[in-house]
Amino acid sequence: DQQVKQNSPSLSVQEGRISILNCDYTNSMFDYFLWYKKYPAEGPTFLISISSIKDKNEDGRFTVFLNKSAKHLSLHIVPSQPGDSAVYFCAARGLSGYSTLTFGKGTMLLVSP
Amino acid sequence: NAGVTQTPKFRILKIGQSMTLQCAQDMNHNYMYWYRQDPGMGLKLIYYSVGAGITDKGEVPNGYNVSRSTTEDFPLRLELAAPSQTSVYFCASSSGRGTEAFFGQGTRLTVV
């Protein structure tokens, strides 16, 4: 059973527009959420994170929104650039013990010029 | 600025062979992880370590073994390679529990 779900395998956006990547989770014990970006033949790189006590976190063109009641988070990229084309993974951390990160399947974003 | 270094980058194994995937980090991180990524799937945790001498199973540990004798190194051992272990393997490290993890470039393993 998937605890972190990214239901859109891919997303296409035009350069300059907003990209919105979505992530849903089922485990209410998750307390910290992260987004990673991955280019082909490279390892994932950390992009942005948000604690469960917040509902928004911004870093430049990237904003993550968290809706705890809906168990939903989203990553907004404004404006989108062709270099943003990559696979984006949502990840979540649980509260207890040595809890590690649980990853979604990823969404491939294609930003066209 | 090496970060997390994985070797080899590519490997083809025959069924039943064994090999060790190497992982080293130079950030003095206590936490280290091994993930595998199958096509169209997310990252699944194989094993992790919270410090030298301490390891624990993740979501998909069967067919693998790990050791952590130093803070820097976290090798992953495949004893009897099977086609189901064809995957891309990523090693990662972090300074704290479930915090921002730094990933290596991955090892693409094919078992034939």
Side-chain angles (χ1 to χ4, degrees), chain A residues 31-32 34 36 38 41-46 87 89 93-106, chain B residues 31 33 35 37 40-45 48 50 54 56 59 90 97-106 108:
Chain A
D31 70 336
Y32 191 67
L34 306 88
Y36 283 82
K38 184 184 179 305
E42 293 185 11
T45 54
F46 170 74
V87 177
F89 290 99
R93 180 187 77 180
L95 272 175
S96 59
Y98 296 126
S99 54
T100 55
L101 296 177
T102 301
F103 284 83
K105 291 186 179 181
Chain B
Y31 290 70
Y33 316 86
Y35 290 92
Q37 185 190 14
M41 303 296 286
L43 297 157
K44 292 191 181 293
L45 184 65
Y48 67 100
V50 300
I54 306 169
D56 208 348
E59 186 182 357
F90 291 101
R97 175 181 75 81
T99 55
E100 174 192 344
F102 294 83
F103 283 80
Q105 286 201 311
R108 184 173 294 274

Side-chain angles (χ1 to χ4, degrees), chain B residues 60-111:
Chain B
V60 289
N62 291 345
Y64 306 96
N65 276 302
V66 293
S67 59
R68 184 96 182 269
S69 56
T70 66
T71 299
E72 294 77 20
D73 300 298
F74 190 40
L76 177 72
R77 179 86 178 158
L78 283 72
E79 289 295 349
L80 290 169
S84 61
Q85 293 177 305
T86 294
S87 189
V88 181
Y89 292 82
F90 291 101
C91 178
S93 72
S94 67
S95 58
R97 175 181 75 81
T99 55
E100 174 192 344
F102 294 83
F103 283 80
Q105 286 201 311
T107 296
R108 184 173 294 274
L109 175 67
T110 302
V111 182

Side-chain angles (χ1 to χ4, degrees), chain A residues 44-98:
Chain A
T45 54
F46 170 74
L47 192 56
I48 192 169
S49 62
I50 187 167
S51 165
S52 60
I53 63 173
K54 295 187 173 182
D55 55 18
K56 178 181 172 181
N57 188 27
E58 274 183 272
D59 185 1
R61 296 186 297 114
F62 302 91
T63 303
V64 56
F65 296 91
L66 176 62
N67 182 335
K68 282 183 67 178
S69 60
K71 294 192 180 66
H72 176 83
L73 65 155
S74 60
L75 174 68
H76 292 213
I77 307 174
V78 184
S80 301
Q81 299 173 353
D84 295 329
S85 297
V87 177
Y88 289 78
F89 290 99
C90 173
R93 180 187 77 180
L95 272 175
S96 59
Y98 296 126

Side-chain angles (χ1 to χ4, degrees), chain A residues 15-27:
Chain A
E15 182 178 7
R17 300 287 188 103
I18 183 171
S19 295
I20 300 176
L21 295 99
N22 294 304
C23 178
D24 297 295
Y25 61 96
T26 57
N27 189 341

